[in-house]
């Protein structure tokens, strides 16, 4: 029987680490790569997954059937141009429309930072990004895309960022669902992830917050607004490092509506042109946002901000309060780091980290309480400004993960994209509550899952109707016994009636008959014995007939009585039945063996 | 369930329509009857193909069939049915049978046997389903006939084994609608089918088709609705259905579980996988809570709604719904709510944020953490955070209902409700504010909660702000800082949105009277008094200052020590406010202040009584003066009217009453004045000037009577008679005046006839009231009626004149409650000096915002009038959606008026005002008549007054400066 062997998370891919996602799934002979991310914490070879791991030799295009990108964050798509253009992959790449629109902007930004700012060589070029994007096939939500004759994929809403999707990969009757990053609680600009009861063989879910149950988002929002408001009223500056897209838009909408409601005057800036382009897409893909924005965009598109202006480098030195959103989110490079350096010395100021920070980044350092940072060139930076952490990152928490599992009802669960210790806890919980097996492979490890696939068999309508007519109503929940002949021919299975099977195979029908003799002590004459037997059996639910030739038929079972050749007092009952009536025949025999009741007649 | 009711109403409604149809076509009936069925028969025989036959049947459906011919038609259809081979035609016939048996007045028992017979040989599942539907119709028409129902249920049971979901669906529906409900019937056990309907339906709970499963649950619910007590055994079956793949099944199952939980709240059910047992209602509550995080939002809404009506749930379970154990990295973490509470109870008011105060505390026992609770854990936390606002609103409503019945739960859910004040959808915010108001008796706001609540005062939506004011009216605040905070925020609100003035004052009034002791220590600060120095006297016209005073004075009412803290000018301001804003400032006992205390402190008794007494006394006085000299009458009336008007101004509760009577007396005065003219006897044409006065009086009385009839809410038929009587007198006066002024008799003929008709209709309308009207004008007139009808116009006029003079004047009984409809345009304010500029020929939208009080059916009656300087008037009908109903008797009109005009050379003012449209046909009197016996000879008589339509202005006009600019070429 076929097996779903998956996923070999690529060396050091997403396994038990948050940083770069890259998972390889082989399902019924098809190989699919899920996400193609990079690691923010490294600047050397380690930032990209080791693709040589997939095939030691031979071309990737031959080996992989398709690549699926769940959303546009760089830790999920950052290595894509490298993979397709530099390593070489020409097969199809699937992503949703918003992802396809926004992904190249981010890649280009990333390229600029690494090549133009840091002067790295041997990096992918703008042209490579363009070429890579040409290989992308865009999919709609809930659209079933046939990759080839057997492999099909389907996207579900994931609610992590604009255009984020979960993918169902299906070959025959075996299926895998890959969640990418997802969020089960709606926020200010996106809805909640949703999946139907697709009962996949395997659910590959992220587990960033495997051991966290979060407070309600309203408290978080209120806290955030309060912190920003207080700092601004004090005359301080607020720095909010964000990934250009995703959380940033949510926070923008939050601040924008708050500013409008409270009639605040302090300026809000958003760094650089990247946002403008991206905002443009947010305005366009209204159908991917939440209920509120979808319903009100006719009056006003919420992404047309009134209070938020573009940032200029010179503004950072302006006196007075301001709020600045700057990229990147983990303070590891770029504008956010520059501004951070300028403002870190003043205790009136504040930096709010709205998301997860990978180990090794400045963000991670200050969050863990480090107040003195060593910057490039042996400089020591003292951090006096307040550091706040607001968990705004849109990942599902432990409850959310469990909720998704409940919705999808998978047969196996595989946890990726998290820390080993935390995943251990969740794994135990999942096994305990859902009674499904749960896996958590390390980087580079391959997990194989055996499935119990159901095999479709064709049955002729006539036979089906005939068989269902017997007995009670068909019941979906209970298996039903059917009589027929299973024919395996030309790679197809058919269930046919025995007659037809015989006909097709050109075989003659043989009848198998059982006979059994039962001795009964009865001094009376034969026909009287027969009558007694008849009266005894008549009470049952079968159609019992007394034939003129002195024999009895119960349904199709024949019973005859003869006197014993030696002992006239003993009568021999001959019971004969065909193979089909085995059940009834053996029952009657055992009944007769118990003897006849002492009749009064 | 409501849907079902609606369906039933709808069915009945259609019946009524059909009946009317028959009534109207009674004459034609006999002509068409024989041809109806015959024609159909001929048509059907003619039909060569199934398509043709279908066409004929379709055409036939469009025409109504009379009761008498229904049976014949049915027979022909049946006859054709047996002959027909095409399933689609048979389907149509089956549906026609159902339609026909719905005909009102037709008793379908005669065709029932035939209908059942048709089922026997039918092969097509669709036709079978349709036939069962027909039987359902027949069955519902014959509900009083138990044998029929039993028989139909039997038939349905027989077809339950059909392989088509449609047929099974209908069978279940039929059983649900007709299955025996009474216990006695079931006990007799006439047959297998009737005995255990529940079991039969229950067996289909795990049918393979989700539609059938849904139908089975619905049938069960239907049985419950019809009064059958469902077995408790169904509960476990229903619980399994909660995990169904299909949302409609789950949604119906949630309902079923709810029903069962209401039926058997106290019975005990075991918890699976443990030895414990719990009450059924708690178990059901837990299960429904679980459904609040279902995948389908339809189910979520359903579940959230039902949660609210589960009152018997034990508080332990109830409180779990708000519980969500937080953790971070496997360590227990406190929610923001818990932190806020702790901060408060530790006495730390300043939010001196400590580093990492949300840092996770103790380690969590990994085994004890339940990630998917079977219980009610956090159901509301999820519901309130839901993606769809429908779910959130349903959750808020449920929260409200549960909190109303459980004070401890109310206290707990407060934090969550306060959080909802920041929802992104206004409707949700509004709903949660209203909810909070409803449960406010049970709660006291903490300062940090108050802070969040008050932050919403800056909301730009007026509805939200006003709802919040209402909320603050009935909130309990725990500390004096809270009061201060509320006042400061309200004042901020006042400066930001000056139009909220009234609402804020009202809010502070209640805030003050609820928390006198909390206000007391704040008084010196609020009034900015100083122990040594005199502070400048604040501006009396400042709304903010008035707001502060309203708060203080209302607190002082129950806090006698407070006035000692007032400075001199405060007392003066009190006297002024007590007079000008008497509804906001209560009477105070001010020791040693004679000026103020004398009028008020003597009146400690509830103030309504003396003024009401006064009202009645003055009316009594007026009604007693039958025989005074005219001069005296006039003077007395004038005084009384003046008194009443003043009374109305002083006592807002009596304003409607006083105005109403004053208007009536004014009418009387006018009438008397008109009749007292000395010159009536002189030849008319010489005294045109006097006549002008009399006719003007008549006209004014007419206007006033319309006002009396339509502008007051609470007017009863007793008053309507008097008003109509007065109107009749005015019309008589008009007639007399016309007779005197015009030469020639011809125009008088028409007028006389019309007047007599009116008298006639008056008699018909108010026949029951006539005995109370002895000695009145109409009483005398009716005595003279036979003479009037036969005499000439000139004589009629003479008679009228004398009766009018002799008639006494009627006592106007006062109803319990009388309120005058008032309107107040809040926006435009009419204060702007900046003209509204727009290009001529194009339109400009003017926002109109007005409050209406005591207007019945504002959607139909309130209009906006725009008067342009050139005398052009424009009447605008606001959309029904522009009216909101914030409270009983109150309405808000928020609409846009489109203005346009040709170019002007300079800006000019237009007037905007609200009108109350009326139509005398719609009056209470005529409504009564049209229902009564009079309707029989509808055609014979013209309607009493041919629907005089008019408008009454009932708001002060507001001037708006506009300037249409010429268009640039």
């Amino acid at each position: 029987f076929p097996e779903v062997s998956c996923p070999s998370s690529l060396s050091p891919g997403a396994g038990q680490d948050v940083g770069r996602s890259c998972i390889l799934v082989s399902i019924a002979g098809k190989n699919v790569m899920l996400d193609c991310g990079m690691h923010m914490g490294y600047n050397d070879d380690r930032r990209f997954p080791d693709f040589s791991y997939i095939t030691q030799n031979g071309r990737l295009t031959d080996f992989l059937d398709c690549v699926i990108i769940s959303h546009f964050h760089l830790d999920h798509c950052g290595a894509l141009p490298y993979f397709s253009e530099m390593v070489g992959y020409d097969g199809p790449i699937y992503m949703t429309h918003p992802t396809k629109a926004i992904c190249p902007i981010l890649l280009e930004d990333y390229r600029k930072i690494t090549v133009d700012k840091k002067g790295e060589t041997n990096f992918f070029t703008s042209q490579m990004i363009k070429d890579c994007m040409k290989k992308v096939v865009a999919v709609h939500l809930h659209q079933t895309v046939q990759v080839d004759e057997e492999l099909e994929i389907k996207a579900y809403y994931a609610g992590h960022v604009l255009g984020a999707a979960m993918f169902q990969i299906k070959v025959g009757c075996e299926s895998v669902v890959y969640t990418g990053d997802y969020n089960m609680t709606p926020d200010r600009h996106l809805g909640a992830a949703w999946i139907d009861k697709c009962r996949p063989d395997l659910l590959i879910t992220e587990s960033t917050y495997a051991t966290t149950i979060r407070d309600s988002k309203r408290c978080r929002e209120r806290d955030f607004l309060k912190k920003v408001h207080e700092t601004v009223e004090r005359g301080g500056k607020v720095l909010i490092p964000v990934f250009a897209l995703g959380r940033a838009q949510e926070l923008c909408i939050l601040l924008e509506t708050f500013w409008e409601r409270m009639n605040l005057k302090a300026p809000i800036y958003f760094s650089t042109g990247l946002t403008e382009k991206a905002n443009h897409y947010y305005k366009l893909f209204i159908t991917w946002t939440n209920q509120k924005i979808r319903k009100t965009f006719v009056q006003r598109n919420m992404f047309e901000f009134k209070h938020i202006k573009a940032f200029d480098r010179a503004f950072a030195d302006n006196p007075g309060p301001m709020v600045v959103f700057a990229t990147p989110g983990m303070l590891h490079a770029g504008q956010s780091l520059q501004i951070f350096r300028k403002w870190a010395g003043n205790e009136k100021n504040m930096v709010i980290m709205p998301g997860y920070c990978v180990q090794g980044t400045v963000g991670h350092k200050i969050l863990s309480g480090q107040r003195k940072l060593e910057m490039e060139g042996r400089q020591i930076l003292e951090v006096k400004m307040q550091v706040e952490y607001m968990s705004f990152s849109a990942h599902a928490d432990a409850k959310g993960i469990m909720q998704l599992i409940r919705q999808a009802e998978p047969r196996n669960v595989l946890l990726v994209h998290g820390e080993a210790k935390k995943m251990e806890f969740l794994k135990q919980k999942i096994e305990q509550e859902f009674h499904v097996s749960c896996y958590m492979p390390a980087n580079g490890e391959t997990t194989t899952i055996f499935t119990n696939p159901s095999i479709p068999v064709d049955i002729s309508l006539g036979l089906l109707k005939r068989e269902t007519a017997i007995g009670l109503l068909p019941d979906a929940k209970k298996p039903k016994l059917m009589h027929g002949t299973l024919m395996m021919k030309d790679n197809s299975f058919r269930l046919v009636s025995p007659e037809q099977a015989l006909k097709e195979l050109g075989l003659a029908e043989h009848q198998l008959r059982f006979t059994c003799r039962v001795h009964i002590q009865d001094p009376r004459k034969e026909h009287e014995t027969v009558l007694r037997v008849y009266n005894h059996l008549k009470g049952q639910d079968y159609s019992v007939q007394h034939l003129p030739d002195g024999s009895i038929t119960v349904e199709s079972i024949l019973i005859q009585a003869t006197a014993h050749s030696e002992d006239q007092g003993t009568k021999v009952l001959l019971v004969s039945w065909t193979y089909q009536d085995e059940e009834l025949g053996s029952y009657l025999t055992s009944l007769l063996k118990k003897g006849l009741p002492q009749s009064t007649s | 369930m409501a849907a079902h009711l609606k369906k039933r109403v709808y069915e009945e409604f259609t019946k009524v329509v059909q009946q009317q149809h028959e009534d109207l076509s009674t004459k034609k009936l006999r002509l068409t009857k024989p041809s109806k069925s015959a024609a159909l028969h001929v048509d059907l025989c003619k039909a060569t193909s199934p398509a043709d036959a279908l066409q004929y049947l379709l055409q036939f459906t469009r025409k109504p069939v009379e009761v008498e011919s229904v049976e014949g038609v049915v027979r022909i259809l049946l006859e054709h049915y047996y002959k027909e081979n095409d399933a689609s035609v048979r389907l149509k016939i089956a549906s026609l049978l159902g339609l026909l048996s719905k005909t009102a007045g037709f008793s379908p028992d005669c065709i029932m046997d035939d209908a059942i017979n048709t089922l026997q040989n039918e092969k097509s599942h669709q036709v079978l389903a349709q036939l069962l539907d027909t039987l359902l119709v027949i069955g519902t028409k014959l509900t009083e006939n138990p044998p029929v129902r039993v028989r139909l249920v039997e038939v349905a049971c027989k077809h339950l084994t059909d392989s088509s979901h449609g047929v099974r669906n209908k069978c279940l529906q039929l059983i649900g609608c007709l299955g025996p409900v009474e216990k006695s019937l079931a006990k007799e056990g006439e047959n297998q089918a009737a005995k255990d309907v529940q079991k039969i339906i229950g067996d289909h709970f795990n049918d393979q088709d989700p539609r059938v499963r849904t139908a089975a649950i619905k049938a069960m619910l239907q049985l419950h609705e019809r009064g059958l007590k469902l077995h408790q055994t169904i509960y476990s079956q229903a619980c399994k259905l909660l995990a169904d793949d299909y949302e409609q099944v789950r949604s119906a199952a949630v309902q079923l579980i709810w029903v069962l939980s209401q039926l058997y709240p106290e019975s005990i059910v075991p918890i699976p996988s443990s030895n414990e047992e719990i009450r059924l209602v708690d178990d059901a509550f837990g299960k429904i809570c679980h459904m609040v995080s279902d995948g389908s939002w339809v189910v979520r809404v359903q579940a959230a709604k039902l949660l609210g009506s589960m009152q018997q749930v034990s508080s332990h379970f109830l409180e779990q719904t708000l519980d969500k154990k937080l953790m971070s990295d496997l360590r227990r973490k406190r929610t923001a709510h818990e932190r806020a509470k702790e901060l408060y109870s530790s006495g730390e008011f300043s939010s001196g944020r400590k580093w990492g105060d949300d840092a996770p505390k103790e380690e969590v026992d990994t085994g004890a953490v339940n990630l998917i609770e079977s219980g009610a854990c956090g159901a509301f936390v999820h519901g309130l955070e839901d993606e769809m606002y429908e779910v959130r609103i349903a959750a808020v409503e449920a929260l409200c209902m549960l909190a109303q019945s459980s004070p401890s739960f109310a206290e707990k859910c407060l934090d969550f409700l306060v959080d909802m004040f920041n929802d992104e959808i206004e409707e949700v915010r509004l709903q949660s504010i209203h909810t909070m108001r409803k449960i406010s008796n049970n709660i006291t706001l903490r300062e940090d909660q108050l802070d969040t609540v008050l932050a919403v005062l800056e909301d730009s939506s007026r509805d939200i702000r006003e709802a919040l004011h209402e909320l603050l009216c009935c909130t309990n605040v725990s500390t004096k800082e809270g009061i201060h905070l509320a006042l400061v925020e309200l004042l901020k609100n006042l400066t930001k949105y000056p139009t909220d003035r009234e609402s804020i004052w009202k809010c502070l009034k209640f805030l003050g009277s609820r928390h006198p002791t909390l206000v007391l220590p704040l008084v010196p600060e609020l009034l900015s008094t100083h122990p040594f120095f005199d502070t400048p006297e604040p501006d009396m016209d400042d709304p903010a200052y008035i707001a502060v005073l309203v708060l203080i004075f209302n607190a002082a009412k129950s806090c006698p020590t407070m006035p000692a803290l007032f400075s001199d000018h405060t007392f003066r301001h009190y006297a002024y406010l007590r007079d000008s804003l008497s509804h906001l400032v209560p009477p105070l006992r001010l020791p040693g202040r004679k000026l103020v205390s004398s009028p008020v402190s003597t009146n400690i008794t509830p103030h309504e009584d003396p003024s009401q007494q006064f009202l009645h006394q003055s009316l009594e006085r007026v009604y007693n003066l039958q025989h005074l000299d005219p001069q005296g009458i006039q003077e007395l009336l004038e005084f009384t009217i003046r008194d009443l008007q003043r009374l109305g101004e002083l006592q807002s509760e009596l304003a409607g009453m006083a105005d109403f009577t004053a208007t009536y007396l004014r009418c009387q005065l006018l009438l008397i004045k008109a009749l007292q003219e000395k010159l009536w006897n002189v030849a008319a044409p010489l005294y045109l000037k006097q006549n002008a006065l009399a006719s003007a009086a008549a006209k004014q009385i007419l206007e006033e009577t319309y006002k009396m009839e339509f502008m007051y809410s609470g007017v009863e038929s007793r008053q309507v008679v008097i008003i109509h009587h007065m109107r009749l007198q005015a019309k008589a006066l008009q007639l007399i005046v016309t007779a005197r002024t015009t030469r020639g008799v011809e125009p008088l003929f028409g007028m006389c006839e019309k007047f007599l008709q009116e008298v006639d209709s008056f008699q018909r309308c108010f026949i029951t009231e006539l005995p109370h009207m002895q000695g009145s004008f109409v009483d005398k007139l009716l005595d003279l009626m036979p003479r009037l009808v036969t005499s000439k116009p000139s004589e009629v006029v003479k008679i009228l004149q004398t009766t009018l003079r002799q008639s006494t004047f009627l006592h106007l009984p006062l109803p319990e409650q009388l309120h005058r409809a008032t309107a107040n345009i809040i926006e435009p304010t009419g204060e702007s000096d900046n003209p509204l500029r727009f290009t001529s020929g194009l339109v400009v939208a003017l926002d109109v915002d007005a409050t209406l009080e005591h207007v019945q059916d504002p959607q139909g009656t309130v209009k906006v009038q725009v008067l342009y300087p050139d005398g052009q008037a424009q009447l605008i009908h606001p959309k029904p959606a522009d009216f909101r109903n914030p409270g009983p008797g109150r309405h808000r009109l928020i609409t846009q008026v489109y203005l346009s005009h040709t170019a002007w050379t300079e800006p000019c003012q237009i007037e905007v005002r609200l009108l109350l449209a009326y139509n005398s046909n719609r009056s209470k009197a005529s409504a009564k008549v049209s229902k009564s016996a009079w309707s029989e000879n509808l055609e014979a008589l013209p309607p009493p007054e041919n629907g005089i339509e008019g408008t009454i202005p009932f708001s002060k006009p507001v001037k708006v400066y506009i300037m249409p600019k010429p268009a640039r070429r």
Side-chain angles (χ1 to χ4, degrees), chain B residues 179-424:
Chain B
V181 173
E182 303 81 16
K183 271 258 163 64
S184 58
L185 217 154
K187 266 178 200 159
E188 283 163 29
E190 286 155 27
N191 52 52
Q192 201 69 21
K195 210 158 54 183
D196 206 356
V197 203
Q198 291 193 45
K199 190 175 175 308
I200 296 166
I201 295 177
D203 285 343
H204 285 263
F205 277 180
N206 25 24
D207 193 278
Q208 59 176 350
D209 194 288
R211 286 162 289 195
V212 181
R213 291 200 292 272
T214 317
I217 302 171
K218 291 247 168 85
M220 201 60 106
L221 288 169
Q222 175 89 34
L223 281 176
H224 163 73
E225 227 172 288
R226 287 177 50 221
L228 181 74
K229 188 156 188 192
L230 303 184
H231 298 317
Q232 202 199 320
T233 43
I234 299 172
Y235 182 71
S236 57
Q237 281 179 291
C239 290
K240 275 181 209 128
L241 287 172
L242 285 180
D244 201 276
D245 281 9
Y246 292 83
E247 66 175 26
Q248 67 265 45
V249 182
R250 292 199 301 268
S251 166
V254 169
Q255 273 183 35
L256 186 60
I257 286 195
W258 178 79
V259 164
L260 287 166
S261 77
Q262 301 299 306
L263 281 177
Y264 305 97
E266 297 301 331
S267 46
I268 301 292
V269 290
I271 304 174
S273 77
S274 82
N275 296 327
E276 285 170 72
E277 288 179 328
I278 48 170
R279 293 161 73 218
L280 189 138
V281 66
D282 291 339
D283 190 50
F285 187 73
K287 294 221 156 69
I288 296 178
C289 282
H290 201 52
M291 298 311 277
V292 174
S293 48
D294 190 85
S296 148
W297 71 273
V298 183
V299 181
R300 293 203 298 266
V301 172
Q302 175 81 268
K305 268 188 189 151
L306 290 176
L307 279 185
S309 46
M310 299 181 80
Q311 312 279 3
Q312 299 110 313
V313 178
S314 37
S315 58
H316 155 68
F317 270 86
L318 206 55
E319 278 153 25
Q320 270 193 3
T321 55
L322 297 175
D323 189 26
K324 188 180 177 187
K325 293 211 168 47
L326 302 192
M327 58 176 193
S328 169
D329 286 359
L330 281 179
R331 275 182 296 171
R332 173 94 174 87
K333 200 173 153 184
R334 284 166 312 146
T335 61
H337 291 152
E338 287 169 335
R339 267 181 278 142
K341 200 170 173 182
E342 209 160 280
L343 201 67
Y344 174 75
S345 53
S346 69
E348 220 176 315
F349 291 134
S350 68
S351 60
R353 290 169 308 108
K354 283 177 289 182
W355 171 252
D357 65 348
D358 69 334
K361 289 281 151 64
E362 69 267 38
E363 290 271 336
V364 173
D365 174 19
T366 46
V369 181
N370 228 359
L371 285 180
I372 296 248
E373 282 86 352
S374 50
C377 261
F380 278 118
V381 180
H382 285 296
L384 293 176
E385 267 186 46
D386 199 273
E387 182 183 5
M388 311 296 286
Y389 83 94
E390 291 90 342
V391 183
R392 296 202 297 268
I393 283 192
V396 169
E397 273 166 8
L399 214 53
C400 171
M401 285 164 79
L402 289 173
Q404 271 173 327
S405 60
S406 156
S408 66
F409 183 71
E411 194 75 43
K412 289 228 164 56
C413 75
L414 208 57
D415 276 323
F416 294 88
L417 273 182
V418 171
D419 277 349
M420 294 306 284
F421 284 16
N422 288 322
D423 195 273
E424 53 191 349

Side-chain angles (χ1 to χ4, degrees), chain B residues 437-448:
Chain B
R437 195 190 70 224
K438 283 180 200 150
I439 61 171
S440 56
N441 298 328
N442 292 337
I443 52 170
T444 305
L445 282 181
R446 282 200 320 265
E447 212 169 299
D448 57 306

Side-chain angles (χ1 to χ4, degrees), chain B residues 19-68:
Chain B
Q19 202 162 18
Q20 279 176 349
H21 213 100
E22 283 157 30
D23 285 346
L24 291 178
S25 57
T26 3
K27 278 180 192 164
K28 289 179 187 169
L29 195 100
R30 238 157 247 126
L31 291 173
T32 49
K33 187 197 158 194
S35 64
K36 195 96 198 181
S37 45
L40 179 68
H41 182 62
V42 171
D43 279 347
L44 285 179
C45 290
K46 265 199 304 196
T48 48
S49 67
D52 272 354
L54 214 51
Q55 271 311 313
Y56 288 128
L57 286 170
L58 281 172
Q59 275 167 16
F60 179 74
T61 321
R62 287 187 199 115
K63 288 172 275 176
V65 179
E66 301 77 32
V67 182
E68 289 81 6

